[in-house]
Amino acid sequence: MEANAKLAQLPTLSENNDLAEEQVASFQTKGHILLRGVASAQEVSRYEPVIEQFVRQHNNHTLPVDQRDTYGKAFIQVGNIWAQDEAVKRFVLARRFAKIAAELMGVDGVRIYHDQALFKEPGGGHTPWHQDQVYWPLDTTKTITMWMPLVPISEEVGSMTFVDGSHSSGYMSRQFISDESHKTLGSYIAGKGLTTTNYGAMAAGDATFHAGWTLHSAPGNPTDKMREIMTIIYYADGTRALEPDSSARESDLKNWLPGIKPGEIAASPLNPLLFIR
């Protein structure tokens, strides 16, 4: 009873945040957008302690930051929290967030791929240039990630940096997040003279949304405060699973689309429909 009472007191996050046509057009052109106040500071403050506690309890890092490899230095990473905690479930499966994702992509319905807490520790390293969708066995370009700070993040920690319009190029590199991806893709960006956007400081409850093929990176954390980020990945309802062409996609198919075979509609019990027009 006590747990149910606490759950009932959490914000439902069901109210609409309506988007302007210009915002949708900007996202579809650039492959990314910053939206202020997707959740209020008060709403986020109710969920932050729950998510923070879960991440702390499930942090698998055993080495100090400076003794890890580049990927390990980038963040504490915990996924599919919604399936393990009822309070986080209310946050992650929120209709408000899913509706924004659907409208930005221009689709009628969206399912969740998975959530992921990405906490960058004080002294944590940069996140190398990469495309998210190299990991995902999803046969669609209609994928999007919401990246929301649970605490204010300063200019020096900042948002991610996005390469404008890079989502329209699709598969640019088979490299996963690594020193090699940062060097190779960084050279490509410089050589092509591609334009980038960094949104700087963000308040708790602000959010960026970026397409699955949008090339992006993130700076390290030189501050003494944890950078607490919650991400939610969505894809268009009706999407089919791909035949995995890498060990990473094979792992993702098993973990995030359990029971789904290549060619089938990507709609396992872990991928509920969160919004439909």
Side-chain angles (χ1 to χ4, degrees):
M1 289 291 291
E2 183 179 351
N4 289 336
K6 289 182 179 179
L7 191 62
Q9 293 173 6
L10 291 171
T12 61
L13 302 170
S14 60
E15 303 85 352
N16 292 341
N17 278 26
D18 294 323
L19 301 178
E21 291 182 7
E22 293 80 7
Q23 291 174 311
V24 175
S26 178
F27 171 81
Q28 294 185 358
T29 298
K30 293 184 176 181
H32 59 83
I33 193 170
L34 167 66
L35 300 176
R36 300 288 186 186
V38 171
S40 70
Q42 183 178 14
E43 287 172 330
V44 174
S45 70
R46 303 290 295 280
Y47 286 100
E48 184 276 335
V50 180
I51 298 172
E52 190 277 335
Q53 181 181 31
F54 192 96
V55 171
R56 184 160 26 88
Q57 291 173 344
H58 292 81
N59 175 15
N60 292 322
H61 286 305
T62 56
L63 293 174
V65 173
D66 60 2
Q67 294 180 29
R68 303 177 202 159
D69 62 14
T70 298
Y71 192 91
K73 290 175 182 176
F75 33 61
I76 300 169
Q77 187 176 26
V78 183
N80 246 29
I81 303 175
W82 77 267
Q84 305 171 67
D85 186 282
E86 285 297 316
V88 181
K89 179 178 180 179
R90 177 172 288 201
F91 181 88
V92 171
L93 304 191
R95 182 181 185 277
R96 182 192 302 172
F97 305 156
K99 178 176 181 289
I100 292 172
E103 290 185 352
L104 288 173
M105 290 192 291
V107 300
D108 290 332
V110 294
R111 293 182 179 272
I112 182 174
Y113 186 49
H114 63 84
D115 67 44
Q116 207 164 45
L118 299 175
F119 282 28
K120 196 178 290 284
E121 298 153 281
H126 73 290
T127 306
W129 288 112
H130 67 283
Q131 293 175 295
D132 293 338
Q133 203 157 330
V134 298
Y135 291 93
W136 306 341
L138 296 170
D139 191 11
T140 182
T141 59
K142 300 294 186 179
T143 61
I144 193 170
T145 297
M146 183 185 83
W147 191 92
M148 179 181 285
L150 303 177
V151 295
I153 55 176
S154 64
E155 183 81 27
E156 56 189 336
V157 178
S159 78
M160 293 183 289
T161 297
F162 303 98
V163 178
D164 301 339
S166 54
H167 65 304
S168 61
S169 297
Y171 217 144
M172 296 172 66
S173 170
R174 297 179 67 87
Q175 291 179 320
F176 302 122
I177 299 174
S178 62
D179 293 328
E180 289 74 23
S181 75
H182 198 66
K183 181 179 178 180
T184 301
L185 292 169
S187 296
Y188 176 82
I189 294 164
K192 294 287 186 180
L194 303 180
T195 59
T196 62
T197 298
N198 184 290
Y199 294 109
M202 294 174 65
D206 291 345
T208 60
F209 288 78
H210 67 275
W213 289 119
T214 300
L215 190 58
H216 60 285
S217 67
N221 181 5
T223 73
D224 60 358
K225 295 181 174 60
M226 182 78 81
R227 188 210 71 176
E228 299 181 18
I229 302 296
M230 192 66 184
T231 68
I232 308 171
I233 305 164
Y234 306 90
Y235 60 90
D237 183 35
T239 295
R240 294 183 182 274
L242 283 174
E243 181 72 47
D245 57 358
S246 67
S247 58
R249 283 185 166 181
E250 187 174 351
S251 176
D252 264 30
L253 183 66
K254 178 182 177 180
N255 291 325
W256 311 131
L257 299 169
I260 302 299
K261 295 180 174 59
E264 293 182 343
I265 297 293
S268 84
L270 288 183
N271 316 110
L273 184 65
L274 302 188
F275 173 80
I276 191 164
R277 294 186 193 280

